[in-house]
Amino acid sequence: MATVSDRISDPLAVAPWDKGATQASKSEQYLARRFAAASADLKAMAVATFLLAIAVGGVSWFLVGVLVEHWLVPGGLATWARWMWFAVGGAAVAVAAVIWLLPLVRYRVNLVYAAHELERGNPDLHNDLVNAVLVKERASEAAEAVVKSLRRRAARRLSRMPDDAVVDRTPAVWLAWTLTALVCLTLVYGVVAPKSFVASAARLAAPWSGMAAPSRVQIQRPQLAWRMPGEDGAVAGPERTLAIVDGSAELVRGRQLVVSAKIEGLDADERPTVMVSPLRDDGTIDTAIEPWQGPMLGKGDGVSAAVIPGPDRGLDHGVELQVVVGDGRSERVRVAVVDVPTLLVRELRYDYPESMGRESESLPWQGDISGIEGTRVTIFVEANRPLESAAIDLGCDGRPNVAIAIERPAAVLGKASFTLELNAERTGPKFSSYRFIYRPRATRGHPTEPDVMGQIEHRIEVTPDLAPEVAIEVPEEKVLRVPLDAPVTVRVRAVDPDFGLASVRVETRLAGGDVRSGDELLVGPPRLSFRGAATLLPQALGATLGSKLEYRAVAVDTRPDKPNTTVTDWKALEIDASAPPQEQPPQDGEGKQGEGKQGEGKQGEGKQGEGKQGEGKQGEGKQGEGKQGEGKQGEG
C-alpha cells in the first residue's frame, strides 16, 4: 500500500472537499462526511500497521541477537557488540518513524487516494468517486448540471457500501499473524533453550549494564568476606561480610579475602575457579602482572568458596575477581585494599594542679605518660582513616573508660582528658597502662566496621605527692635547760619539691597537756622551700619552774584534696632558774630554693641580713616588738 507521503506528492492532489463550498446539497454533505471518515480510517490503519511492523522488527531484533549470543559467540556478546546491536535497532526505528509516521502527523490524506480506496472496496462505483473529486476541483470547466448529476450518482452508489468496508486491512492482518508466530517461537525457544533468553534480552536492551552473559552454568553474584591469615574454618558473623556497592568492595590490607558463590548446572567433572587480576593504585588492571586462578572448594548446597590470595598470607593490593566454570561467568567484582586502621598519640599535654604554680607543657608523639598525681593529661590522637568512634581503655582490660571526642568532618583527629591518680593504697598508679579502642567509619553502602583493639600499650607512671620535709635546726639539743623568763629561738627549715609549702609553724605543749598551735611562719604564696624562726617564751606559754615545755615543727603542703602534713619529733625545754639564757643564733633570713637568697642579701653577693638586735629583728619578722608572753614569731 502506498504511503500517505506518496499520495501527497501525487500531481492529482486536490484541495479538501469542503474548501470553498457551501455544501448546500445533501449529496455533497454525504460525500464530505464519507471522505472524512475514510481519511480517518486510513490514518488509523497506517498507524496500526506501523506499530505492528515495529513490533515484528523488535521481536526479530531480540530473537536474532539472542541466537547469536547463545550459539555463535562463546561467552556472550562483548559490551561493544551489544552497543552496536542496540544502535542498529534504534536507528531502524528512527528511520521508520521519519519515513512512515511523521507524514501521518504533518499531512492530510489525499482525496483522490481516499476516493480510490473507497472504489476498490466497491467495484460498482466504477470511477464515479474519483471523477466527482476531480470534477469538483475543476467545476468551472464543466456544466453545473453534469457536476450535480455526477455527485448524486456517486453519493447514491456509495451509500450502498458499508462504513467499515473502506480500508484494506490485509497488511495489518499479515503483520499481526507474523508477530504472533514470532512471539510463539520466542516462547518455545525460551523454554527449551539451554541458556536464559531473558538474560540475553536484558543485556541487548541495556548494553551499559554489567550483567553476565547467560550460560548453561548459572553462577549467582559472588559474596565476599574476610578473615585473618592462619585462621581455619568458615567465616562466621555479619561483621566479617564485605558489601559490594556498584561492583566494588573494600578490604583492609593484610587480611584474606573469602570468595563464595552458589553455582548450578555443573557437570560432574567441572571445578569452579576464581580468576584474579591485580589492580594498580588507580584502579586499572595491572597488565604487567599475569592474572592467576584460585581453586574453589564445595561447601554444600551448591556453594563453592576460595581464599584469596592463599591460606598463609593476606592481600596487599587491589584485585578484580570473576568466578569461572564451564561456560559460566559471574559478574566482575573489584576489591580495593585500604590501610589497616591505626590510631596514634599525636601530642600529650600536662596541665599541672594550680597549687603547684607550674605552667602546662606538651610533648609531641609521646605515648607513655609520666606525671605527678593530680595532673590533668590531655591526649591528642590522629588516625590514618576516618573514625566513627574512639575511646581510651585505661588498664588495658578491654573496656572503654574515657571517650575520645572526634573532630568532624575529617574524623581523623580527636582528644580526651583524664587525671592521674594513685591506687587506694597509694602504692602505685590507679591504671598502669592504656590503649585505644576505635571503630573506623564505614564507607558508603558498607556495613558498620567492627571495633579495633589497639595493639600498642602505653605506660602510665604517677609520681605521688611527697610529704614535705621539716627539721628544727636550732636548738640542736633534744632537751634544753632554760630560765623561765628567757626567750628561746627555734629555727625551722622546710622543703616540698612538688606541690609546695602551704603552712609552716611550731606547735607546743606542756608535758602531758594539749597541743597549742603556734603562729604561721610562712606568709605569702606557696613556696618550695622555707627557712624561718619562732620565739618561744616559756612563762607566756604556761610553763613553771621545774616543768617541761615540749615543741615541734609542722609543715603542710598544697595538695588540693588531702594535704600532706609532716611533723618533727618533740623536743623539750626544762625550766630551771639556775640555767643560763639561750645564746641567740646568728640572724639570717629566709631564702627561696633555687634563688640562692639568705637573709635579705643575695648569696652571690655575700651579704647577710642587717636586722637590728635592739629592735629584735630576726630575718624580716620583729622580735623585740612582741609582747612579753606572746612570743611573736618572725616571717623568716
Side-chain angles (χ1 to χ4, degrees):
M1 183 181 70
T3 63
V4 176
S5 59
D6 294 337
R7 296 301 176 180
I8 289 299
S9 61
D10 197 310
L12 294 178
V14 296
W17 180 267
D18 57 352
K19 182 177 180 182
T22 59
Q23 297 185 3
S25 66
K26 292 183 178 180
S27 61
E28 190 171 1
Q29 293 178 7
Y30 179 74
L31 290 174
R33 186 172 65 254
R34 290 298 298 267
F35 279 135
S39 297
D41 288 345
L42 287 170
K43 276 196 173 185
M45 184 54 59
V47 172
T49 304
F50 170 78
L51 294 178
L52 286 171
I54 291 297
V56 170
V59 174
S60 301
W61 179 84
F62 273 114
L63 186 57
V64 172
V66 169
L67 292 174
V68 170
E69 180 165 79
H70 284 188
W71 301 102
L72 300 181
V73 181
L77 292 171
T79 302
W80 65 267
R82 287 184 283 135
W83 270 109
M84 182 176 293
W85 190 247
F86 183 83
V88 168
V93 172
V95 171
V98 170
I99 295 177
W100 197 335
L101 190 61
L102 185 59
L104 294 175
V105 178
R106 296 184 58 186
Y107 305 114
R108 64 182 177 85
V109 178
N110 192 337
L111 282 182
V112 177
Y113 174 67
H116 176 70
E117 290 297 315
L118 289 171
E119 289 178 349
R120 193 171 63 172
N122 188 1
D124 293 339
L125 289 174
H126 302 292
N127 286 325
D128 290 345
L129 288 180
V130 173
N131 293 334
V133 172
L134 295 176
V135 169
K136 181 180 181 298
E137 186 70 14
R138 300 169 176 85
S140 60
E141 301 177 2
E144 183 65 26
V146 175
V147 173
K148 290 182 178 180
S149 174
L150 188 58
R151 289 175 182 168
R152 284 194 298 270
R153 186 174 63 182
R156 185 172 58 254
R157 291 182 176 180
L158 183 60
S159 64
R160 302 191 191 110
M161 182 178 179
D163 291 342
D164 58 350
V166 177
V167 181
D168 183 12
R169 294 177 170 81
T170 303
V173 172
W174 277 106
L175 286 172
W177 279 109
T178 303
L179 178 61
T180 302
L182 287 174
V183 170
C184 293
L185 179 62
T186 301
L187 293 176
V188 171
Y189 180 78
V191 173
V192 301
K195 302 179 182 180
S196 172
F197 181 92
V198 176
S200 291
R203 281 165 49 84
L204 294 175
W208 54 84
S209 67
M211 296 179 58
S215 58
R216 171 182 53 82
V217 178
Q218 303 297 320
I219 304 176
Q220 294 187 2
R221 186 180 187 181
Q223 303 296 317
L224 303 180
W226 65 269
R227 74 176 195 179
M228 299 303 297
E231 290 183 345
D232 295 327
V235 178
E239 68 278 0
R240 295 209 172 186
T241 301
L242 300 179
I244 302 175
V245 180
D246 297 332
S248 299
E250 289 185 352
L251 178 72
V252 175
R253 192 183 307 275
R255 294 178 179 177
Q256 293 177 334
L257 185 64
V258 181
V259 185
S260 60
K262 187 172 184 180
I263 305 174
E264 298 177 350
L266 282 176
D267 289 340
D269 58 344
E270 290 181 327
R271 297 291 182 267
T273 59
V274 180
M275 294 294 298
V276 183
S277 300
L279 299 178
R280 300 188 182 95
D281 293 338
D282 59 0
T284 59
I285 295 179
D286 191 351
T287 56
I289 304 177
E290 288 291 332
W292 50 277
Q293 296 183 2
M296 301 185 72
L297 302 178
K299 298 171 55 180
D301 296 331
V303 178
S304 298
V307 177
I308 305 300
D312 300 325
R313 59 192 180 95
L315 200 62
D316 59 358
H317 56 79
V319 294
E320 183 181 75
L321 307 172
Q322 186 180 38
V323 179
V324 177
V325 56
D327 63 345
R329 301 289 187 274
S330 71
E331 299 180 31
R332 296 180 184 271
V333 179
R334 293 199 170 190
V335 180
V337 173
V338 297
D339 291 330
V340 177
T342 304
L343 190 62
L344 300 176
V345 178
R346 184 177 184 179
E347 180 183 350
L348 286 180
R349 188 180 70 200
Y350 294 92
D351 294 317
Y352 300 101
E354 185 178 355
S355 57
M356 292 184 66
R358 185 176 176 181
E359 294 184 356
S360 301
E361 62 177 339
S362 298
L363 298 176
W365 305 110
Q366 173 63 50
D368 293 342
I369 296 174
S370 179
I372 196 168
E373 65 172 317
T375 300
R376 188 74 175 173
V377 178
T378 301
I379 303 177
F380 297 88
V381 298
E382 181 175 346
N384 63 343
R385 290 178 56 189
L387 300 179
E388 187 66 33
S389 61
I392 298 176
D393 175 14
L394 294 174
C396 300
D397 56 1
R399 294 179 297 179
N401 303 99
V402 183
I404 297 177
I406 304 297
E407 295 186 8
R408 305 292 180 178
V412 296
L413 301 176
K415 66 177 180 178
S417 301
F418 61 93
T419 301
L420 298 182
E421 301 177 75
L422 294 174
N423 55 26
E425 296 77 19
R426 297 186 61 78
T427 57
K430 184 176 182 180
F431 302 102
S432 60
S433 62
Y434 76 94
R435 63 182 174 184
F436 298 120
I437 301 175
Y438 49 96
R439 176 178 299 172
R441 177 183 291 179
T443 55
R444 180 179 62 89
H446 289 257
T448 302
E449 292 277 356
D451 288 339
V452 177
M453 195 74 66
Q455 300 299 316
I456 302 177
E457 295 186 6
H458 300 285
R459 294 175 298 176
I460 299 178
E461 297 179 356
V462 181
T463 302
D465 172 24
L466 301 176
E469 299 177 4
V470 62
I472 298 177
E473 298 181 330
V474 177
E476 298 178 357
E477 297 85 355
K478 184 70 174 179
V479 178
L480 178 66
R481 296 172 54 250
V482 297
L484 179 63
D485 56 353
V488 177
T489 299
V490 179
R491 293 196 59 79
V492 177
R493 181 176 179 82
V495 176
D496 189 272
D498 38 37
F499 278 86
L501 297 166
S503 173
V504 179
R505 62 183 181 273
V506 174
E507 295 179 342
T508 60
R509 69 179 182 183
L510 293 174
D514 296 333
V515 177
R516 168 186 279 182
S517 178
D519 291 338
E520 181 62 54
L521 300 181
L522 176 61
V523 179
R527 304 181 185 184
L528 299 179
S529 65
F530 173 82
R531 177 179 289 172
T535 301
L536 303 180
L537 193 59
Q539 187 176 16
L541 295 174
T544 58
L545 291 175
S547 65
K548 182 181 291 186
L549 178 66
E550 296 178 329
Y551 63 95
R552 68 180 180 184
V554 180
V556 182
D557 66 10
T558 58
R559 182 182 174 192
D561 47 356
K562 295 180 180 180
N564 293 311
T565 301
T566 303
V567 298
T568 63
D569 295 334
W570 288 101
K571 290 188 176 184
L573 299 176
E574 289 186 352
I575 309 303
D576 185 352
S578 62
Q582 180 192 21
E583 182 179 352
Q584 294 297 321
Q587 305 295 316
D588 57 342
E590 176 218 347
K592 290 184 180 180
Q593 187 183 44
E595 296 181 1
K597 291 185 178 179
Q598 186 176 11
E600 295 179 353
K602 295 183 179 179
Q603 188 177 24
E605 298 175 2
K607 295 183 179 179
Q608 269 192 328
E610 298 177 1
K612 296 179 181 179
Q613 180 115 12
E615 295 177 358
K617 287 187 179 181
Q618 184 177 2
E620 295 176 354
K622 295 182 180 180
Q623 181 185 12
E625 295 179 0
K627 295 181 181 179
Q628 184 84 10
E630 293 183 357
K632 189 170 182 180
Q633 299 163 349
E635 297 177 356

